[in-house]
Amino acid sequence: MKLRRLFAVLLLTALLMTSAVMPAQAKEYLPSEGSYVFSTEDSLGYLSHAYHLTPTFDSETETAKMTVADPATDPRVLIDFGYTVSADTYKYLVFTYMVPSSVSSAASTGEIFLSAGTTKLPTVGKSVKYTVTKGSMFVSEKFDLSSSSWWTGDINSIRLDVFDNAVVGDVMYVDSVILCKTLAEANAAANERSAAKGGSESTMPADYYCTSYEWEKYTSPFWKGGIVYNEAVYPIKAEDGTASYKLMYTPDRVTGVYDAQFKVKYKEGVDYKVS
Protein backbone atom coordinates (compact mmCIF):
# COMPACT_ATOMS: atom_id res chain seq x y z
CA MET A 1 0.00 0.00 0.00
CA LYS A 2 1.52 3.32 -1.08
CA LEU A 3 0.83 6.45 0.94
CA ARG A 4 1.66 10.11 0.59
CA ARG A 5 1.51 13.04 3.04
CA LEU A 6 0.89 10.46 5.74
CA PHE A 7 3.45 9.81 8.44
CA ALA A 8 1.47 8.95 11.58
CA VAL A 9 0.58 5.50 12.87
CA LEU A 10 -2.42 4.29 10.87
CA LEU A 11 -4.98 1.63 11.59
CA LEU A 12 -6.22 -0.24 8.55
CA THR A 13 -9.13 -2.65 8.27
CA ALA A 14 -8.97 -5.02 5.31
CA LEU A 15 -11.39 -7.58 3.92
CA LEU A 16 -9.73 -10.85 2.96
CA MET A 17 -11.42 -13.40 0.76
CA THR A 18 -9.14 -16.07 2.23
CA SER A 19 -6.18 -16.05 4.57
CA ALA A 20 -3.72 -16.20 1.71
CA VAL A 21 -2.89 -13.88 -1.19
CA MET A 22 -6.04 -12.74 -3.00
CA PRO A 23 -6.64 -12.52 -6.75
CA ALA A 24 -6.43 -9.06 -8.22
CA GLN A 25 -9.79 -9.36 -9.96
CA ALA A 26 -13.22 -10.34 -8.70
CA LYS A 27 -14.13 -13.98 -8.99
CA GLU A 28 -16.30 -14.95 -11.93
CA TYR A 29 -19.26 -17.07 -10.86
CA LEU A 30 -20.47 -19.56 -13.45
CA PRO A 31 -23.68 -21.65 -13.57
CA SER A 32 -21.55 -24.53 -14.91
CA GLU A 33 -19.85 -24.49 -11.50
CA GLY A 34 -23.07 -24.28 -9.52
CA SER A 35 -23.02 -20.49 -9.08
CA TYR A 36 -25.98 -18.25 -9.92
CA VAL A 37 -25.57 -14.49 -9.56
CA PHE A 38 -28.68 -12.56 -10.60
CA SER A 39 -26.92 -9.37 -11.67
CA THR A 40 -28.53 -9.07 -15.13
CA GLU A 41 -32.03 -9.38 -16.48
CA ASP A 42 -30.94 -12.38 -18.57
CA SER A 43 -30.00 -14.23 -15.36
CA LEU A 44 -33.71 -14.55 -14.56
CA GLY A 45 -33.74 -17.21 -17.27
CA TYR A 46 -32.30 -19.64 -14.70
CA LEU A 47 -35.52 -19.40 -12.67
CA SER A 48 -38.71 -21.35 -13.34
CA HIS A 49 -41.88 -22.71 -11.74
CA ALA A 50 -42.57 -19.61 -9.67
CA TYR A 51 -45.43 -20.27 -7.25
CA HIS A 52 -47.29 -17.38 -5.55
CA LEU A 53 -44.21 -15.35 -6.38
CA THR A 54 -43.30 -12.92 -9.16
CA PRO A 55 -39.57 -12.74 -10.00
CA THR A 56 -38.44 -9.54 -11.74
CA PHE A 57 -35.08 -7.90 -12.30
CA ASP A 58 -34.42 -4.92 -10.06
CA SER A 59 -32.02 -2.59 -11.88
CA GLU A 60 -31.29 -0.49 -8.81
CA THR A 61 -29.90 -3.33 -6.73
CA GLU A 62 -29.03 -5.57 -9.71
CA THR A 63 -30.78 -8.53 -8.14
CA ALA A 64 -33.72 -10.83 -8.68
CA LYS A 65 -36.65 -9.19 -6.88
CA MET A 66 -39.04 -11.82 -5.49
CA THR A 67 -42.46 -10.32 -4.78
CA VAL A 68 -45.16 -12.35 -3.07
CA ALA A 69 -48.18 -12.31 -5.38
CA ASP A 70 -50.70 -14.37 -3.39
CA PRO A 71 -51.30 -14.84 0.34
CA ALA A 72 -50.06 -18.39 0.69
CA THR A 73 -47.41 -20.49 2.38
CA ASP A 74 -44.11 -21.27 0.72
CA PRO A 75 -43.89 -18.71 -2.11
CA ARG A 76 -41.13 -20.24 -4.15
CA VAL A 77 -39.11 -20.48 -7.34
CA LEU A 78 -36.94 -23.20 -8.86
CA ILE A 79 -33.37 -23.09 -10.18
CA ASP A 80 -33.01 -25.79 -12.84
CA PHE A 81 -29.49 -27.09 -13.38
CA GLY A 82 -28.67 -27.22 -17.07
CA TYR A 83 -25.13 -28.39 -16.35
CA THR A 84 -23.67 -31.49 -14.76
CA VAL A 85 -22.63 -30.40 -11.28
CA SER A 86 -21.88 -32.98 -8.58
CA ALA A 87 -23.15 -32.65 -5.04
CA ASP A 88 -20.20 -34.80 -3.99
CA THR A 89 -17.89 -31.98 -5.05
CA TYR A 90 -19.86 -28.95 -3.87
CA LYS A 91 -20.47 -29.33 -0.16
CA TYR A 92 -21.35 -25.76 0.85
CA LEU A 93 -24.07 -23.32 -0.16
CA VAL A 94 -24.00 -19.52 0.11
CA PHE A 95 -27.28 -17.63 -0.25
CA THR A 96 -27.06 -13.82 -0.40
CA TYR A 97 -30.18 -11.69 -0.12
CA MET A 98 -31.76 -8.56 1.33
CA VAL A 99 -35.21 -8.23 2.92
CA PRO A 100 -36.42 -4.71 3.78
CA SER A 101 -37.55 -3.98 7.34
CA SER A 102 -40.99 -3.07 5.98
CA VAL A 103 -41.73 -6.71 5.10
CA SER A 104 -44.47 -8.28 7.24
CA SER A 105 -43.77 -10.13 10.48
CA ALA A 106 -45.18 -13.28 8.86
CA ALA A 107 -42.11 -13.47 6.63
CA SER A 108 -39.69 -14.60 9.30
CA THR A 109 -38.23 -17.88 8.03
CA GLY A 110 -37.37 -19.54 4.73
CA GLU A 111 -36.19 -22.86 3.35
CA ILE A 112 -34.04 -24.12 0.47
CA PHE A 113 -34.78 -27.55 -1.00
CA LEU A 114 -31.89 -29.33 -2.71
CA SER A 115 -32.43 -32.21 -5.12
CA ALA A 116 -29.57 -34.45 -6.25
CA GLY A 117 -28.94 -37.99 -7.44
CA THR A 118 -32.05 -40.14 -7.29
CA THR A 119 -33.99 -37.27 -5.69
CA LYS A 120 -35.43 -35.58 -8.76
CA LEU A 121 -37.90 -33.23 -7.06
CA PRO A 122 -37.89 -31.09 -3.90
CA THR A 123 -38.48 -33.48 -1.01
CA VAL A 124 -39.34 -32.99 2.66
CA GLY A 125 -36.29 -33.59 4.82
CA LYS A 126 -33.83 -32.67 2.09
CA SER A 127 -33.50 -28.97 2.71
CA VAL A 128 -31.84 -26.27 4.79
CA LYS A 129 -33.69 -23.61 6.77
CA TYR A 130 -32.87 -20.04 7.73
CA THR A 131 -34.21 -17.18 9.79
CA VAL A 132 -34.85 -14.12 7.65
CA THR A 133 -32.61 -11.15 8.46
CA LYS A 134 -34.34 -7.84 7.72
CA GLY A 135 -32.82 -4.43 7.07
CA SER A 136 -31.07 -2.43 4.38
CA MET A 137 -28.01 -4.69 4.20
CA PHE A 138 -27.42 -7.77 2.09
CA VAL A 139 -26.60 -10.82 4.17
CA SER A 140 -25.04 -14.14 3.21
CA GLU A 141 -26.34 -17.37 4.73
CA LYS A 142 -23.85 -20.25 4.66
CA PHE A 143 -24.92 -23.89 4.80
CA ASP A 144 -22.68 -26.91 5.37
CA LEU A 145 -24.03 -29.87 3.38
CA SER A 146 -21.04 -32.15 3.94
CA SER A 147 -22.80 -34.25 6.59
CA SER A 148 -26.09 -34.59 4.68
CA SER A 149 -26.22 -38.16 3.39
CA TRP A 150 -28.86 -37.27 0.80
CA TRP A 151 -26.59 -34.65 -0.82
CA THR A 152 -24.88 -36.90 -3.36
CA GLY A 153 -24.90 -37.46 -7.12
CA ASP A 154 -25.58 -34.94 -9.87
CA ILE A 155 -27.56 -31.89 -8.78
CA ASN A 156 -31.03 -31.67 -10.29
CA SER A 157 -32.44 -28.46 -8.85
CA ILE A 158 -32.50 -25.97 -6.01
CA ARG A 159 -35.84 -24.59 -4.88
CA LEU A 160 -35.96 -21.30 -3.01
CA ASP A 161 -38.90 -21.05 -0.64
CA VAL A 162 -37.98 -17.45 0.07
CA PHE A 163 -40.49 -17.27 2.95
CA ASP A 164 -42.35 -20.04 4.77
CA ASN A 165 -45.25 -17.61 5.27
CA ALA A 166 -45.86 -14.18 3.81
CA VAL A 167 -48.46 -11.62 2.76
CA VAL A 168 -49.02 -10.04 -0.63
CA GLY A 169 -46.32 -7.49 -1.40
CA ASP A 170 -43.61 -8.98 0.81
CA VAL A 171 -40.33 -8.93 -1.08
CA MET A 172 -36.86 -10.43 -1.06
CA TYR A 173 -33.96 -9.24 -3.24
CA VAL A 174 -31.87 -12.28 -4.17
CA ASP A 175 -28.30 -11.55 -5.16
CA SER A 176 -26.94 -15.06 -5.58
CA VAL A 177 -27.01 -18.77 -4.86
CA ILE A 178 -23.47 -20.12 -4.91
CA LEU A 179 -22.23 -23.66 -4.35
CA CYS A 180 -18.69 -24.06 -3.01
CA LYS A 181 -16.29 -26.96 -2.60
CA THR A 182 -14.79 -25.96 0.75
CA LEU A 183 -15.60 -23.87 3.80
CA ALA A 184 -12.84 -21.44 2.81
CA GLU A 185 -14.47 -20.94 -0.58
CA ALA A 186 -17.85 -20.43 1.09
CA ASN A 187 -16.42 -17.79 3.45
CA ALA A 188 -14.76 -16.07 0.50
CA ALA A 189 -17.96 -16.07 -1.57
CA ALA A 190 -20.00 -14.74 1.35
CA ASN A 191 -17.52 -11.92 1.93
CA GLU A 192 -17.24 -11.09 -1.77
CA ARG A 193 -20.97 -10.96 -2.41
CA SER A 194 -21.65 -8.92 0.73
CA ALA A 195 -18.88 -6.50 -0.25
CA ALA A 196 -20.18 -6.30 -3.82
CA LYS A 197 -23.53 -5.16 -2.44
CA GLY A 198 -21.97 -2.93 0.20
CA GLY A 199 -20.26 0.20 -1.03
CA SER A 200 -19.76 3.07 1.39
CA GLU A 201 -19.30 2.64 5.11
CA SER A 202 -22.88 3.78 5.68
CA THR A 203 -24.25 0.86 3.64
CA MET A 204 -21.77 -1.90 4.44
CA PRO A 205 -22.35 -4.37 7.28
CA ALA A 206 -21.03 -3.18 10.64
CA ASP A 207 -18.78 -6.24 10.90
CA TYR A 208 -16.62 -4.76 8.12
CA TYR A 209 -15.55 -1.85 10.35
CA CYS A 210 -13.93 -1.32 13.71
CA THR A 211 -13.65 2.35 14.64
CA SER A 212 -13.21 1.87 18.37
CA TYR A 213 -11.25 -0.50 20.56
CA GLU A 214 -13.55 -3.53 20.39
CA TRP A 215 -11.75 -6.48 21.93
CA GLU A 216 -14.14 -9.02 20.34
CA LYS A 217 -13.08 -7.93 16.86
CA TYR A 218 -9.44 -7.47 17.82
CA THR A 219 -9.21 -11.06 19.08
CA SER A 220 -11.39 -12.74 16.44
CA PRO A 221 -9.49 -15.22 14.20
CA PHE A 222 -9.31 -13.55 10.78
CA TRP A 223 -9.17 -16.91 9.02
CA LYS A 224 -12.73 -17.58 10.19
CA GLY A 225 -14.29 -14.25 9.26
CA GLY A 226 -11.98 -13.12 6.45
CA ILE A 227 -11.39 -9.67 7.99
CA VAL A 228 -8.20 -8.19 9.42
CA TYR A 229 -9.14 -5.39 11.82
CA ASN A 230 -6.97 -2.32 12.28
CA GLU A 231 -3.58 -3.55 11.18
CA ALA A 232 -1.05 -0.97 12.33
CA VAL A 233 0.74 0.70 9.41
CA TYR A 234 4.05 2.56 9.84
CA PRO A 235 4.79 4.29 6.52
CA ILE A 236 8.42 5.26 5.95
CA LYS A 237 9.17 8.21 3.71
CA ALA A 238 11.30 7.43 0.67
CA GLU A 239 13.58 9.77 -1.27
CA ASP A 240 10.87 10.48 -3.83
CA GLY A 241 8.57 11.77 -1.10
CA THR A 242 6.20 8.78 -1.04
CA ALA A 243 5.82 6.24 1.72
CA SER A 244 4.91 2.58 1.41
CA TYR A 245 4.08 -0.34 3.65
CA LYS A 246 3.59 -4.03 2.88
CA LEU A 247 0.50 -5.50 4.52
CA MET A 248 0.57 -8.90 6.18
CA TYR A 249 -1.84 -10.28 3.57
CA THR A 250 -3.00 -9.04 0.19
CA PRO A 251 -6.59 -7.81 0.71
CA ASP A 252 -9.50 -8.07 -1.67
CA ARG A 253 -10.61 -4.69 -0.37
CA VAL A 254 -9.46 -2.08 2.14
CA THR A 255 -12.57 -0.86 3.95
CA GLY A 256 -10.99 1.97 5.93
CA VAL A 257 -7.79 3.72 6.96
CA TYR A 258 -7.80 5.86 10.14
CA ASP A 259 -5.36 7.60 12.41
CA ALA A 260 -4.56 5.88 15.70
CA GLN A 261 -7.29 7.78 17.58
CA PHE A 262 -10.01 7.09 14.95
CA LYS A 263 -10.47 10.85 14.55
CA VAL A 264 -9.37 11.05 10.90
CA LYS A 265 -10.44 8.81 8.05
CA TYR A 266 -8.15 8.91 5.02
CA LYS A 267 -9.46 8.78 1.48
CA GLU A 268 -8.35 6.15 -1.01
CA GLY A 269 -6.92 7.73 -4.15
CA VAL A 270 -6.21 10.97 -2.31
CA ASP A 271 -4.20 10.04 0.77
CA TYR A 272 -3.28 6.48 -0.14
CA LYS A 273 -3.65 3.78 -2.75
CA VAL A 274 -3.51 0.01 -2.64
CA SER A 275 -1.22 -1.59 -5.19
Side-chain angles (χ1 to χ4, degrees):
M1 186 176 78
K2 296 182 179 179
L3 305 100
R4 60 186 179 84
R5 306 196 310 273
L6 198 57
F7 307 104
V9 175
L10 306 182
L11 296 176
L12 177 146
T13 300
L15 175 64
L16 304 180
M17 290 176 63
T18 69
S19 59
V21 175
M22 298 301 103
Q25 58 188 28
K27 175 178 172 58
E28 182 180 8
Y29 295 100
L30 303 173
S32 59
E33 297 176 355
S35 298
Y36 294 84
V37 177
F38 301 101
S39 57
T40 65
E41 191 163 6
D42 289 344
S43 62
L44 295 183
Y46 298 120
L47 303 174
S48 66
H49 297 83
Y51 175 78
H52 289 169
L53 195 69
T54 303
T56 57
F57 179 70
D58 184 71
S59 58
E60 183 176 350
T61 60
E62 295 185 338
T63 59
K65 181 180 180 181
M66 309 291 186
T67 306
V68 177
D70 293 295
T73 58
D74 301 331
R76 57 187 182 259
V77 68
L78 196 73
I79 301 176
D80 286 313
F81 275 65
Y83 300 89
T84 301
V85 180
S86 175
D88 300 294
T89 301
Y90 293 89
K91 292 295 187 179
Y92 296 85
L93 173 68
V94 179
F95 176 46
T96 302
Y97 68 91
M98 186 269 284
V99 173
S101 300
S102 57
V103 162
S104 74
S105 59
S108 59
T109 58
E111 191 168 6
I112 302 175
F113 287 84
L114 302 113
S115 305
T118 57
T119 303
K120 303 298 182 182
L121 299 173
T123 303
V124 173
K126 298 181 180 181
S127 65
V128 291
K129 300 181 179 182
Y130 58 90
T131 299
V132 174
T133 299
K134 299 177 183 178
S136 60
M137 310 296 181
F138 279 82
V139 297
S140 293
E141 302 281 356
K142 291 180 290 186
F143 303 98
D144 182 355
L145 305 171
S146 60
S147 60
S148 300
S149 59
W150 45 265
W151 187 241
T152 184
D154 291 343
I155 302 171
N156 299 312
S157 66
I158 293 178
R159 194 181 84 184
L160 303 178
D161 291 25
V162 294
F163 304 118
D164 290 329
N165 294 281
V167 301
V168 174
D170 281 344
V171 63
M172 173 184 283
Y173 297 85
V174 177
D175 168 71
S176 55
V177 176
I178 297 173
L179 290 168
C180 301
K181 297 177 182 179
T182 65
L183 178 58
E185 285 187 9
N187 287 335
N191 286 333
E192 194 278 332
R193 294 316 304 164
S194 295
K197 293 300 177 184
S200 65
E201 182 171 348
S202 62
T203 59
M204 288 189 70
D207 281 350
Y208 285 17
Y209 292 90
C210 185
T211 54
S212 62
Y213 293 102
E214 303 176 47
W215 70 267
E216 295 93 343
K217 289 183 177 180
Y218 273 35
T219 58
S220 63
F222 71 86
W223 56 88
K224 291 185 177 180
I227 303 174
V228 172
Y229 291 108
N230 298 348
E231 179 177 348
V233 176
Y234 300 86
I236 299 175
K237 187 177 181 179
E239 292 183 0
D240 62 2
T242 63
S244 63
Y245 186 87
K246 184 176 181 180
L247 302 178
M248 184 177 295
Y249 298 100
T250 302
D252 176 59
R253 180 174 185 176
V254 172
T255 61
V257 178
Y258 299 84
D259 70 345
Q261 288 76 41
F262 300 109
K263 293 181 179 179
V264 179
K265 182 177 181 180
Y266 298 98
K267 296 182 66 175
E268 185 172 0
V270 177
D271 301 306
Y272 72 92
K273 67 176 181 179
V274 181
S275 59

